[in-house]
């Protein structure tokens, strides 16, 4: 059995590329990196890689992480700048025993030294959106935090190995040096080939409070299906946040176990893409349902056209 699941409609082309690798008996780590690179390279996705929206100062600071579910090796970068594929840097760092999570200038220097492609990641389009937003904030005192979405991919290969990766430009208009959940193990992602993998998108400040990716893998390890694990972790924590803090940000989680069964849960409208040995690559829409369940429906052609 093989399979892959990834966050947001933007990941669909990446899922198709990952599917080709997995169906051809390729490695789950290559599938994850390939899927995420596709999103990083596409200039019109405003929340990941090239074309991602910048921080308050107009600088595109990127976060990414990679985890090998066989060995538990993790690599991550936060606030990296001017590097084309943060996911590839994170994957390389996962092979290191020490210094495997690098931030800011240190992350960028590492990537340059290792020969990763340099690129000005701020596109004219993203710069225009930033300038417009600066003006709006000055005029109307708007909440600056807006326009985010992380690409996350979980993959299972035919050898029953699993891997997970994330890549994000974080929150639009974030303060310089702000880091969300995406590069943080347990919060933004987790994978254990003996159980399954999970990953998150949404308000990092809240996701980090619940370590939801680890929690979902733990629940799957206790025998829950991926869907039951996602429902329990996501709606349970959403409720806890509302009870204790009085509010919960938007968040959505995806999971797959090592049999290729998958699940998602979300407290907002959320699209994702999935492909397995039994299921052709498809985009779905998830919404919160009654009694801590998730409603999952195939995306309609009307939705895609719009
Ligand atoms: N989780 C990301 C962050 O907080 C943003 C997102 O996925 O929407 O940086």
């Amino acid at each position: 059995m093989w399979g892959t699941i990834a966050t947001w409609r933007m990941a669909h082309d990446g899922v198709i590329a990952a599917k080709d690798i997995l169906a051809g008996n390729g490695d789950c780590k290559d599938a994850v990196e390939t899927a995420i690179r596709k999103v990083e390279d596409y200039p019109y996705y405003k929340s990941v890689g090239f074309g991602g929206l910048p921080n308050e100062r107009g600088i595109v600071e990127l976060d990414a992480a990679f985890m090998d579910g066989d060995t538990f090796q993790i690599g991550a970068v936060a606030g990296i700048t001017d590097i084309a594929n943060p996911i590839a840097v994170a994957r390389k760092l996962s092979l290191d025993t020490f210094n495997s999570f690098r931030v800011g200038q240190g992350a960028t220097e590492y990537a340059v030294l290792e020969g990763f492609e340099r690129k000005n990641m701020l596109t004219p389009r993203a710069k225009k959106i930033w300038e417009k937003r600066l003006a709006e904030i000055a005029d109307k005192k708007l909440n600056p935090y807006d326009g985010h979405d992380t690409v996350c991919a979980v993959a299972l290969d035919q050898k029953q190995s699993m891997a997970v990766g994330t890549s994000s430009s974080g929150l639009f208009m974030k303060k310089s040096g702000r880091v969300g959940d995406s590069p943080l193990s347990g919060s933004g992602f987790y994978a254990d080939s003996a159980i399954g993998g999970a990953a998150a998108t949404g308000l990092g400040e809240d996701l980090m409070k619940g370590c939801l990716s680890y929690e979902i893998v733990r629940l799957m390890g206790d025998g829950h299906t991926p869907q039951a694990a996602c429902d329990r972790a996501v709606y349970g924590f959403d409720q806890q946040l509302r009870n204790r803090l009085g509010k919960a940000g938007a968040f959505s989680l995806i999971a797959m176990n090592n049999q290729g069964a998958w699940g998602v849960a979300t407290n907002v409208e959320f699209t994702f893409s999935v492909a397995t040995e039994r299921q052709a690559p498809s985009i779905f829409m998830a919404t919160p349902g009654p009694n801590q369940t998730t409603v999952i429906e195939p995306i309609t052609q009307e939705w895609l056209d719009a």
Side-chain angles (χ1 to χ4, degrees):
M1 176 55 79
W2 55 265
T4 184
I5 183 166
T7 53
W8 304 110
R9 187 250 173 278
M10 65 180 166
H12 190 58
D13 287 347
V15 162
I16 291 171
K19 174 212 115 197
D20 290 340
I21 293 172
L22 296 167
N25 200 17
D27 189 300
C28 59
K29 299 190 284 298
D30 294 334
V32 163
E33 181 179 339
T34 301
I36 291 179
R37 267 174 179 270
K38 281 242 175 236
V39 184
E40 288 179 337
D41 289 341
Y42 191 73
Y44 297 118
Y45 297 138
K46 292 180 289 190
S47 56
V48 176
F50 186 55
L53 292 173
N55 69 10
E56 195 188 43
R57 296 186 186 162
I59 297 164
V60 184
E61 291 186 333
L62 302 166
D63 302 336
F66 188 89
M67 182 166 187
D68 177 336
D70 285 350
T71 59
F72 301 120
Q73 283 169 302
I74 289 173
V77 291
I80 195 170
T81 51
D82 297 326
I83 296 296
N85 295 107
I87 188 63
V89 182
R91 180 176 179 182
K92 180 94 201 292
L93 280 167
S94 74
L95 302 174
D96 290 350
T97 307
F98 302 109
N99 307 299
S100 55
F101 188 171
R102 306 283 298 264
V103 306
Q105 201 186 337
T108 307
E109 278 171 12
Y110 168 85
V112 170
L113 272 176
E114 292 293 326
F116 286 96
E117 187 191 340
R118 304 175 77 162
K119 190 164 171 179
N120 173 9
M121 300 298 272
L122 183 65
T123 59
R125 180 173 181 262
K127 189 164 178 229
K128 259 201 197 116
I129 298 173
W130 171 70
E131 284 166 350
K132 186 164 165 263
R133 179 53 61 98
L134 274 187
E136 283 169 1
I137 294 166
D139 283 359
K140 302 178 209 133
K141 309 245 173 308
L142 276 180
N143 178 0
Y145 302 105
D146 193 0
H148 51 90
D149 285 346
T150 300
V151 63
C152 311
V154 181
L156 163 72
D157 66 28
Q158 296 184 36
K159 296 184 189 72
Q160 229 187 50
S161 292
M162 298 196 75
V164 60
T166 64
S167 183
S168 186
S169 53
L171 298 186
F172 180 30
M173 288 291 177
K174 65 189 179 185
K175 299 285 181 199
S176 159
R178 179 267 182 192
V179 178
D181 60 299
S182 307
L184 199 62
S185 159
S187 292
F189 63 94
Y190 202 77
D192 176 346
S193 301
I195 301 172
T201 177
L203 183 65
E205 282 72 1
D206 279 356
L207 283 160
M208 289 189 279
K209 296 177 177 110
C211 300
L212 292 182
S213 294
Y214 183 78
E215 178 67 1
I216 289 170
V217 174
R218 193 189 65 77
L219 287 165
M220 292 193 292
D222 281 350
H224 289 89
T225 63
Q227 187 57 51
C230 286
D231 287 344
R232 205 180 242 252
V234 169
Y235 302 121
F237 192 64
D238 176 82
Q239 197 52 55
Q240 292 234 42
L241 274 179
R242 287 177 204 279
N243 293 346
R244 298 207 202 175
L245 182 66
K247 61 182 181 209
F251 47 79
S252 312
L253 276 285
I254 56 170
M256 180 169 276
N257 68 16
N258 68 357
Q259 306 301 310
W262 53 267
V264 307
T266 178
N267 60 6
V268 287
E269 197 176 273
F270 169 61
T271 58
F272 62 99
S273 174
V274 56
T276 72
E277 203 173 312
R278 291 185 292 253
Q279 180 163 29
S282 319
I283 306 168
F284 292 94
M285 164 84 73
T287 44
N291 305 320
Q292 314 221 318
T293 59
T294 308
V295 178
I296 297 171
E297 288 163 322
I299 281 294
T300 59
Q301 195 54 47
E302 290 98 285
W303 189 91
L304 277 178
D305 295 344

